[in-house]
């Protein structure tokens, strides 16, 4: 479910960064209030690493022959409480992004939101906790784990669809995308829910105090209501996204516009015959004038020239790399 | 399993090298990677030709830093499946034909598939080059410099260190399980609760012991800040060069230039 940079537009990426950063800042502030903050740090680190190491273990799903691995959000929240679980999961996602190329740097905000904010800060306090509110029993823990894991993954998958659609990189129609994503993640969610339930029940059996303290500690209702958090998060997303998309639509190519603005003076001087003719040629023959494609074959010759130009550039880049490493080798010897 | 643990720290081993790129200030490298990715992502979905010049960035940096390309490419393959899925769906849904090559119709969707994959490769390379030329301790000290809360940075550092420790632990538990169970290929679903649960409890106990040990050696959150070196001229030049390179090919299209030359000939 990790989103990649390649499927994301900068506006969506920035908006989700803002939301995730707000959630992280709030969580850190909440954790710092805790007297046992320092003592919880190694526990958070270990649980983050546990999710990681746990993902290396495959378990067999009966009657299917396929295998799965543990996901984490609800499991960590059940063990640590909402905020420490969120921080632990967030660091795991950053490490996955940096060292495993799983999810991109720009997409980090989206991934943190989809896989950490949703299960730890939304589903856990709003669904898991109310279910086990009357007291912990195996049945309640199992029900809460399965329902929360399913819902968490469904929401996560849905927001992947939304973020991808808003970025406009894929041509996949919204409904088709939703119909593809949701059922797959329903299946994954059920399996993850069962695994989470099994682990939580085992831990409750062995060390009931771990689940009890997570359930009692870092209570979200203290001081700040959930509604407030949700409203703030929604506002941050809306404002950042809105501003950026406004900017993007007013200047279809925001970055190009910015570059032109800054380099405008220098550019104006060069504007002579050559650039005029270049502009007219470009307009007439452009490979993709404003997203609309030229049909027919008239521009084919120049298109081929464009393709060849691209290939030459690519080859040059490769050659540059080879030359550098060759120079380095000769220097070493 | 052992391979996975080994792989985890390969990039870190690379980051201890000493080349022009390794000597650059981590902040300069981080900013450069960010600028590069943002610019690469800002192109529209059919701009394959416009993206090509950006392959200079990984090609030049990788060779300057002496990072094996095959290793980074294998990491890229991890990110590829989801992009491939999204890209292939473009081929299915976006069928307008752009041009034909030797009787083969090339559709918009096909171009956008290549754009997605190429873009994914560029972005992944940028991140991996950053990580494999910057020691982990430097990365986290830059996070502190960016005023990211200490609690968070310490958790980040410790998680990274614990992964190796716990991976070895889970690996020995896994081997023990397989040795006890004949002909099983993985852990059965009904055992997963007790297996992972045991693993969790062991890990938490370990965390407690580590914490006590750290406390005994005078550890506290505040005492962890390290002085960071300022940016020197070579860092500024590097960052400026990357920004200039990104901006240049954002404005100037190699494709159009080639087309112009083609039409003149």
């Amino acid at each position: 479910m990790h989103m990649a940079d390649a499927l994301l537009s900068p506006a969506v990426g920035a908006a989700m960064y803002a939301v995730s950063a707000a959630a992280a800042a709030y969580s850190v502030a909440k954790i710092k209030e805790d007297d046992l903050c320092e003592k919880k740090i190694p526990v958070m680190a270990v649980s983050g690493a546990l999710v990681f190491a746990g993902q290396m273990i495959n378990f067999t799903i009966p009657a299917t022959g396929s295998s799965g691995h543990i996901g984490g959000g609800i499991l960590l929240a059940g063990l640590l409480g909402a905020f420490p679980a969120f921080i632990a999961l967030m660091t795991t996602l950053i490490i996955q992004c940096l060292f495993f190329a799983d999810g991109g740097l720009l997409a980090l905000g989206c991934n943190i939101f989809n896989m950490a904010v949703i299960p730890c800060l939304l589903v856990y306090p709003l669904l898991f906790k109310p279910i086990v509110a009357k007291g912990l029993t195996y049945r309640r823990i199992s029900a809460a784990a399965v329902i929360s894991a399913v819902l968490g993954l469904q929401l996560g998958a849905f927001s992947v669809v939304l973020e991808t659609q808003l970025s406009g990189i894929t041509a996949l129609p919204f409904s088709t995308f939703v119909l593809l994503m949701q059922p797959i993640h329903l299946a994954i969610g059920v399996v993850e829910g069962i695994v989470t339930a099994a682990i939580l029940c085992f831990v409750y059996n062995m060390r009931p105090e771990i689940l009890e303290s997570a359930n009692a500690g870092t209570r979200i209702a203290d001081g700040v209501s959930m509604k407030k958090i949700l409203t703030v998060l929604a506002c941050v997303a809306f404002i950042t996204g809105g501003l950026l998309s406004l900017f993007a639509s007013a200047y279809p190519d925001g970055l190009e516009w910015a570059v032109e603005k800054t380099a405008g003076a220098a550019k104006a001087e060069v504007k002579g015959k050559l650039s005029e003719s270049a502009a007219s040629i470009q307009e007439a023959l452009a490979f993709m004038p404003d997203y609309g494609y030229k049909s027919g074959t008239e521009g084919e010759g120049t298109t081929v020239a464009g393709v060849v130009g691209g290939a030459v550039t690519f080859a040059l880049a490769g050659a540059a790399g080879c030359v550098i490493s060759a120079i380095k080798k000769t220097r070493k010897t | 399993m052992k391979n996975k643990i080994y792989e985890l720290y390969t990039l870190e081993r690379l980051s201890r090298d000493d080349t022009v790129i390794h000597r650059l200030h981590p902040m300069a490298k981080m900013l450069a990677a960010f600028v590069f990715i943002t610019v690469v992502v800002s192109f529209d979905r059919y701009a394959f030709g416009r993206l090509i010049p950006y392959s200079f960035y990984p090609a030049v940096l990788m060779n300057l830093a002496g990072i094996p390309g095959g290793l980074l490419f294998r990491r890229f393959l991890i990110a590829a499946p989801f992009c491939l899925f999204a890209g292939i769906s473009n081929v299915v849904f976006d069928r307008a034909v752009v041009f034909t090559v030797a009787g083969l119709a090339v559709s918009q969707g096909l171009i956008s598939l290549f754009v997605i994959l190429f873009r994914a490769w560029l972005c992944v390379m940028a991140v991996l080059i950053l990580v494999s030329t910057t020691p982990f301790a430097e990365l986290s000290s830059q996070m502190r410099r960016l005023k990211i809360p200490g609690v968070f940075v310490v958790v980040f550092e410790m998680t990274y260190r614990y992964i190796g420790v716990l991976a070895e632990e889970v690996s020995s538990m896994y081997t023990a399980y397989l040795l006890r169970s004949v002909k099983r290929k993985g852990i059965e679903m009904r055992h997963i609760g007790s297996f992972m649960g045991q693993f969790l409890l062991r890990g938490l106990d370990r965390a407690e012991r580590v914490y006590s040990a750290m406390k005994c050696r005078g550890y506290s959150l505040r005492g962890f800040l390290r002085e960071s070196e300022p940016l020197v001229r070579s860092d500024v030049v590097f960052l400026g060069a990357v920004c200039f390179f990104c901006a240049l090919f954002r404005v100037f299209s190699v494709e159009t230039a080639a087309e112009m030359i083609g039409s003149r000939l």
Side-chain angles (χ1 to χ4, degrees), chain A residues 8 99 171 207 253 293 328, chain B residues 41 64 75 90 98 205 250:
Chain A
L8 209 65
F99 296 89
R207 303 252 193 97
D253 205 325
Y293 271 62
K328 285 188 83 178
Chain B
V41 170
L64 277 178
R75 295 279 163 111
N90 278 7
V98 189
D205 285 345
R250 190 70 187 79

Side-chain angles (χ1 to χ4, degrees), chain A residues 8 38 50 59-60 99-101 168 170-172 207 253 256 259 282 287-288 291 293 302 310 317 321 328, chain B residues 8 41 44-46 52 63-64 75 79 89-90 93 98 108 131 187 199-200 205 215 250-251 255-256 259:
Chain A
L8 209 65
E38 269 191 24
L50 273 168
F59 53 87
T60 49
F99 296 89
F100 290 89
T170 61
L172 206 59
R207 303 252 193 97
D253 205 325
E256 209 153 69
V259 171
Q282 184 181 353
F287 193 22
M288 327 154 198
Y291 293 63
Y293 271 62
T302 45
K328 285 188 83 178
Chain B
L8 174 68
V41 170
D44 74 71
R45 59 164 115 149
Y46 303 120
I52 289 175
N63 286 290
L64 277 178
R75 295 279 163 111
S89 69
N90 278 7
F93 287 99
V98 189
Q108 288 189 12
V131 174
I187 297 169
F199 176 44
L200 263 167
D205 285 345
K215 223 30 194 170
R250 190 70 187 79
V251 180
E255 206 175 33
T256 325
E259 278 168 12

Side-chain angles (χ1 to χ4, degrees), chain B residues 119-130:
Chain B
R119 206 197 304 242
W121 180 72
L122 289 175
C123 294
V124 167
M125 284 301 128
V127 173
L128 291 182
I129 287 170
L130 166 71

Side-chain angles (χ1 to χ4, degrees), chain A residues 172-330:
Chain A
L172 206 59
F174 181 75
S175 54
T176 321
F177 201 1
V178 169
L179 283 176
L180 272 171
M181 286 291 277
Q182 304 308 124
I184 294 173
H185 285 91
L186 182 68
I188 298 173
V190 170
V191 174
E192 194 188 319
I194 294 170
V195 172
T196 307
I199 298 173
L200 286 180
C201 286
F202 178 83
V203 174
Y204 183 62
N205 186 22
M206 303 297 279
R207 303 252 193 97
E209 74 276 5
I210 292 180
L211 261 74
E212 277 160 7
S213 78
N215 199 30
T218 52
R219 219 172 276 141
I220 287 206
D222 286 355
V224 181
S225 73
M226 204 56 217
K227 256 187 201 163
K228 264 187 198 162
I229 304 176
L230 281 178
T231 328
V232 169
L233 285 184
C235 285
V236 173
F238 194 74
I239 292 168
T240 342
L243 279 179
L244 280 168
S245 53
L246 211 68
F247 178 76
S249 59
Y251 308 99
D253 205 325
L255 211 64
E256 209 153 69
W257 172 81
V259 171
E260 254 168 40
K261 269 258 164 174
T262 46
K267 227 181 172 183
E269 283 168 27
V270 202
K271 247 195 182 171
K273 251 187 181 174
L274 184 73
S275 67
E276 263 171 39
S277 63
S280 64
I281 289 170
Q282 184 181 353
E283 217 152 87
L285 305 172
F287 193 22
M288 327 154 198
D290 251 341
Y291 293 63
Y293 271 62
K294 228 183 175 91
S295 55
T297 50
E298 43 187 297
E300 215 167 76
T302 45
T303 309
V304 170
V307 173
V308 171
V312 169
T313 322
F314 193 63
L316 273 177
C322 291
V323 168
I324 291 167
S325 64
I327 291 173
K328 285 188 83 178
K329 263 183 199 160
T330 48

